[in-house]
Amino acid sequence: MDTYVLGLALHPASSWVADKRLEEMVFDTAKAALDDAGITRDELDHVTIAACDELDGRSISSMLLSAPAGAYLKDEIKVTDSGLIGLCLEAMRIESGRFHLGLLSSWNKSSKAPFEDVMRMRCEPFYTRDIGLNASIADGFFARAVCDAYGISESDANGAVRASYKRASDNERGMRAAVPSLEEIEASPYVAAPLRKMQQAPVTDGGVSMVVCSGAWLKKHPHRRPLARLSGVAWRVDNYQLGKKRLSALTGFKESFQKAIAMSGLRDFSLLDVVELDSQTAFHEVAFRRALGLPDSCNVSPSGGPFAQNPYFCTGLVNAAEAVLQISGRAGAVQVKGTKRAAAHGCHGFAQQGNAVAIFEGA
Amino acid sequence: MVKQGSDKNENVIYGEWHVRYKYSVGKVAGKFFDGLKQKKILATYCDKCKLSFLPPRAYCERSFEPCSGWIEAGLEGVIEAATIVTAEFENLPKPPYAIAYVRLDGVSTAMINFVRGLDLSDVKSAAERLEPGTRVRVEFKDNPEGRITDFHYVLPTP
Amino acid sequence: MPKNRVAVIGVGETVFKNNIVDKTYVELAQQAAKAALDDAGLTPDDIDAVVFSMAPTQFMGVNDVDKWAVDLVWASGKPFMRVHTGGATGGSALHAGYAHVASGMYRTVLVVGADRVTETPDAQHVLNLIWDLFYEHDFALNTVTMTALATQRYMHRYGTTEEQFARVVVRSRKNALKNPYAHLKGNITVDDVMKSPRMSWPYKLFDICPRSAGAAAVVLANEEVTKSHCSRPAFINGIGGRTSTVFMGDRVGPFADAELSDEAEFVSAGKEAYAQSGITNPMKEIQVVELYDPFSSTQFPQLESLGFCERGQAQNLSDEGAFEMGALLSVNPSGGTLCSNPIGVTGLVRVADAALQVMGKAGEGQVAGVQNALSTAIGGSVQFVNCTILGADYI
C-alpha cells in the first residue's frame, strides 16, 4: 500500500459540546487537521466523510456538514457505517490512483440525539422492533455469549474496566474520568444482564479529521514528512441476525485483523507494538484480547480506548488517530516508546456486526 | 408503538417515530437572533475573500478561515430566486404563499424568507412580480422574538 | 490514471412502482442483487466486496437498513460499506465501488440498493427536515420548492417557457414505454402537463417525478474477471463529482462560484470525467445520456454544464427533436428519473441504464451504435453532483 497520514486532529473530548453547533465542531477539527498537515484546503483533490444522519439529528446531514468538513467544490463521498470505515474508503480512493490528497472527517455529537432510541430504530420492524434491541441490549447479548465462549468471569470484566480507566486517566486527549473502585462497578445496576452500567464505556461527543495522501504526492512534495504509512486495511460485516455463533465467534473481528496483517506483510500479530481496540464494554475488551491472543509485548489500548473517549460513531477512527500518534511519537503521556507498528480497530452495528482494522507503520 | 393491521387488503405493520433533539445554538446564531430582536440583520464577513454571508456563519467555506467579524445588512435587497407554493404539503404552511432568496444590500449571499402582502390569486402574474432582479425591502414584526420569522420581505408600495 | 481497469459486467433492476406489497425492503434489494449476479454470470461467492446504496432511511423507516440487508445480499463475511449523499447516493456508491476495484484491492464488487419512498406518507415532511433548523426550516423548503426557486431563475435567465419543460416530460414518458422497469410511462401531451395541478411555481404535478419503490444493482469487475465473463462490458472510463454549499443563497448573484440555476458544479465534475476518458467533444463522442432528472427543468442546465451545447441552447435543441431516441443525442431513453425515482438507489439506476445501452442490453429501448454513455446523479438542492462515463472500449 502507498497511502500515508500527513496530519490529524482530535476534537477535545466532552460529554456534551454545548457551546458549538455540530458544524462548528466539525470545522474546528477539519481545520486543525489541515494546519497539522501544513496544507491548505485548496490543495485537496477530494474529501471523505463518515457520519450518521440520525445521530447528527438531521436527514442528509452532510448537506450542512460537508462544507465544514472542507468539501466545498470538492469530490466528496460520505459513508454511514463508522469513522474507521471512512478511512477504508479513503484508502481505496488514494490507492485507485485517481486521487492524491484528501481530508477525512468523522464526528459524533450524541448529546444532540436520543442515542439509544436511534439505535432502537435500527431494528427491522417485523421480528425485532417489538421486542426491542438497542446498543446496550445487543451488547448484553454479546456479553453473555462471549462469557460462555471465552470463559470470562465478572471479575475479569470488572478488572478490565479498572485497567481501562487507569490507562485512560493518563491520556490528555480523553475525558480523564475517575477510576471507579471494584465495589462501585459491582454495585452498578444491570443494563441488560450480564452487562452492568459501569462496564459500558460512556458515549461522548467528539470528532477526528485526518489528511491522507498518496506516495506519488509525497514524491512531488519531498519536504513533507508524513506521520505514518497505512500498511494494511481490512473490514468485514457479519450477519444482522444475532445468534450464538454470530455473537461469540468474533468472525468479522478476527478476519479483519488477519486480512489487515497479511496486507501489511507482517508474519503475525506479535509484531504489533500497539493495538487500539474499540471495546464498547469490558466484555468486548476481554473477548477481543483473548480472541487475538496478543503477546504481553503488545500494548493493548494504551490510550484507554473508549474508556478515554467514546464518540461512538468515530471511536474506531479515534483509535486510528491514537495509533498514528504512537507511531509518530506524539502520544504524550501514554506514548509507548519505540512504537513502529500499530493497529487500530473499530466496530459498528448491533453487537459488533461490522469490524474494521487499519495497520500503520513508521513512514 | 407498533401494531399489526390491514390497510386496503395489504398486510402491513404500522410504526411511528417521534424524535426530539436539542441543537446547540453555537457561536454565531445566538448573536444573529439577538440582532433580530433589535430589528437588525447581522451578517458575518470574511476578510480574505472580501465576502459577507447571510445566513451568518462562524467560518468561511471558501477560504476555510473563521469569519473576521460582523456587519449590519441593509434592509433592502434584490430577489435572486422566488417561487409561489400552491400545493398543500404535509406539516408545511397552508398555501398559497411566496418565498424568495433575497440578496440584501451590502451582503454577498442571498437569504430566504417569505414574501408577504402580494396578491397570489393569479399565480402567473404574481410570479412575474417576483422576477429575479426585483427589489424588495425587509419588514419586521412589531415584537420580534429572535427567530428567523421575525422579518419577511415585501414589494415596495408602488 | 486508475491503477486497474473497472467494468460493469452485470446489471439488475426491479420494476419501479408506487409500492411493492409482496416484498420487504431487504427482499427487493436481494431481487436486484440476484438479477445483477445472474446477468454477470457470477455466484455470490465470486463477489469480493459489497457497497450499499441508500439515502435517508426516514422514508422506509429503519435506521441503517443496509445492515439488515446484509443477510439477503450475500454480504455476510465480506467487506461492506454504505454510501449516502442524498439523491446522488447511487452515483457516489458506484464511485466507491469503482475505488474498490481500481485500487487493485478487490476483483469484483456488488453495488446494490433499494428504496420504498412511499413507506411513509410523510415524505415531504421528511424532506423539509433536511433544511437548516435555524434559518431555512420555517420556509417550507422541500425538494419541490427548492428546485422551483432555481428553475424560476433559469427561466428568467434564458427565457425558457413552461411548455418547453413540458415537452421534456412528454418525451420521457414516451421513451419509458420501451423500458419494462419504468414507473410512469405513456403517451401524454404538452397540454396534459400544463393542465396538471400547480405545485410550486413554475411546477405542475407532471413536471415532477413519482415516489417509487424498487431496487437496482450492478456488478463491477477488474480486467481479468471481465475478460473471462463478459463479452460486452461497459468500462467505467471517467468519474467526477462535486459537492457545493448547502446555502443556495451563496450560489446566486455576482459572488457565486457556480451559478445555482445552471447546475454549474457539473462543469468541473464533467471536465474531470472527460479528461480521464479522453473525451473532448461530448456531443460528438457520447451517444446516450441518462441524467438524474426528478424535475422537467433539470435536463437543460445539466446538458449545458456538461458541455453538450451552449448556455440557453438546450431548450431549442429539445424543441427541434435533437434529444429524441436515436437523434443527435439520446437523452434519457429509459424515461429517466422523471419516470422512476426510488431515491436511495436512483443514481445507481442511472448508471445501470447507461451501462445497458453500452452493453447492448437495453431491449426495445436500445439506441444503435452506443460507444459512450454518460450518467449523472444529484443530491440535496443540486448540492451533491456526480457523473460517470461508460464506454464500450477502455480508454
Side-chain angles (χ1 to χ4, degrees), chain A residues 28-302:
Chain A
D28 287 345
T29 314
K31 181 84 173 84
L34 290 173
D35 290 346
D36 189 53
I39 62 153
T40 64
R41 197 188 75 85
D42 289 342
E43 298 175 66
L44 299 172
D45 63 11
H46 69 292
V47 167
T48 303
I49 292 174
C52 172
D53 281 0
E54 295 80 22
L55 289 173
D56 287 352
R58 48 187 298 144
S59 195
I60 318 181
S61 66
S62 56
M63 282 176 66
L64 202 63
L65 297 166
S66 49
Y72 178 63
L73 297 184
K74 300 292 179 193
D75 192 322
E76 170 259 318
I77 300 181
K78 177 180 129 178
V79 292
T80 62
D81 315 83
S82 73
L84 196 54
I85 294 289
L87 181 60
C88 298
L89 176 61
E90 174 59 22
M92 289 189 293
R93 295 180 85 189
I94 297 272
E95 291 287 318
S96 75
R98 174 75 169 78
F99 299 106
H100 294 279
L101 184 68
L103 180 60
L104 165 69
S105 293
S106 187
W107 53 81
N108 189 89
K109 205 169 188 270
S110 311
S111 57
K112 203 176 182 201
F115 176 75
E116 284 291 21
D117 201 43
V118 168
M119 295 297 129
R120 181 186 68 86
M121 283 301 288
R122 292 182 178 185
C123 287
E124 51 77 24
F126 305 115
Y127 309 110
T128 320
R129 198 174 298 168
D130 279 357
I131 317 302
L133 277 182
N134 57 25
S136 294
I137 296 170
D139 283 347
F141 278 110
F142 176 79
R144 171 84 262 158
V146 295
C147 279
D148 291 347
Y150 291 95
I152 301 172
S153 66
E154 171 144 29
S155 131
D156 291 332
N158 295 346
V161 174
R162 275 178 58 78
S164 296
Y165 273 119
K166 272 198 192 131
R167 291 192 304 274
S169 63
D170 285 332
N171 187 352
E172 62 251 39
R173 293 173 291 284
M175 296 291 293
R176 306 201 100 149
V179 183
S181 67
L182 277 179
E183 291 72 35
E184 282 177 287
I185 303 168
E186 283 161 15
S188 73
Y190 282 117
V191 174
L195 181 65
R196 290 183 187 277
K197 185 137 180 66
M198 292 213 68
Q199 293 162 339
Q200 296 179 293
V203 173
T204 56
D205 280 356
V208 48
S209 292
M210 279 187 185
V211 178
V212 184
C213 69
S214 67
W217 189 91
L218 283 176
K219 284 200 182 79
K220 285 202 183 133
H221 299 82
H223 53 291
R224 294 276 176 222
R225 307 299 307 280
L227 298 178
R229 183 175 79 90
L230 183 64
S231 61
V233 65
W235 60 105
R236 290 284 184 277
V237 76
D238 275 329
N239 282 348
Y240 178 77
Q241 206 55 245
L242 300 183
K244 184 171 165 186
K245 181 155 185 252
R246 154 73 170 85
L247 287 165
S248 59
L250 299 184
T251 313
F253 172 78
K254 289 191 278 193
E255 286 182 2
S256 299
F257 262 98
Q258 281 152 8
K259 177 84 192 280
I261 284 279
M263 270 183 89
S264 68
L266 295 177
R267 197 181 57 244
D268 56 46
F269 302 137
S270 65
L271 292 161
L272 292 170
D273 301 308
V274 165
V275 172
E276 290 282 357
L277 295 173
D278 188 354
S279 304
Q280 287 296 314
T281 73
F283 296 94
H284 288 71
E285 172 81 359
V286 181
F288 286 156
R289 283 172 181 253
R290 291 188 186 179
L292 288 183
L294 296 168
D296 290 340
S297 57
C298 179
N299 286 273
V300 180
S301 298

Side-chain angles (χ1 to χ4, degrees), chain B residues 89-111:
Chain B
F89 292 103
E90 294 263 0
N91 293 301
L92 293 183
K94 206 166 153 52
Y97 53 89
I99 52 177
Y101 275 95
V102 170
R103 189 162 47 86
L104 292 174
D105 295 339
V107 182
S108 316
T109 68
M111 188 155 179

Side-chain angles (χ1 to χ4, degrees), chain C residues 50-197:
Chain C
V50 179
V51 176
F52 203 92
S53 166
M54 183 51 174
T57 55
Q58 283 88 352
F59 298 116
M60 51 68 61
V62 179
N63 293 351
D64 276 26
V65 67
D66 50 297
K67 299 301 181 298
W68 174 29
V70 163
D71 301 4
L72 277 85
V73 297
W74 301 281
S76 191
K78 295 178 186 167
F80 178 94
M81 60 178 60
R82 168 193 157 210
V83 170
H84 167 21
T85 53
T89 293
S92 302
L94 192 280
H95 290 190
Y98 171 86
H100 281 64
V101 180
S103 65
M105 285 169 64
Y106 300 102
R107 303 163 311 149
T108 55
V109 177
L110 173 71
V111 184
V112 59
D115 213 334
R116 300 174 67 96
V117 185
T118 56
E119 207 85 312
T120 176
D122 303 328
Q124 283 305 330
H125 172 53
V126 170
L127 288 167
N128 177 235
L129 293 174
I130 61 182
W131 289 103
D132 186 317
L133 193 75
F134 299 160
Y135 303 115
E136 292 168 331
H137 177 78
D138 288 318
F139 305 111
L141 275 173
N142 55 31
T143 51
V144 174
T145 58
M146 74 189 185
T147 318
L149 284 159
T151 299
Q152 185 247 20
R153 192 170 162 78
Y154 183 93
M155 290 167 82
H156 174 77
R157 286 161 69 85
Y158 303 111
T160 329
T161 65
E162 290 180 71
E163 286 79 358
Q164 287 179 302
F165 291 140
R167 259 172 234 129
V168 173
V169 186
V170 170
R171 178 173 64 237
S172 292
R173 297 273 188 106
K174 188 179 68 176
N175 286 350
L177 285 165
K178 296 184 175 170
N179 179 359
Y181 307 115
H183 183 166
L184 297 180
K185 52 182 80 171
N187 284 306
I188 62 170
T189 64
V190 166
D191 217 42
D192 290 332
V193 180
M194 295 304 290
K195 291 203 164 100
S196 61

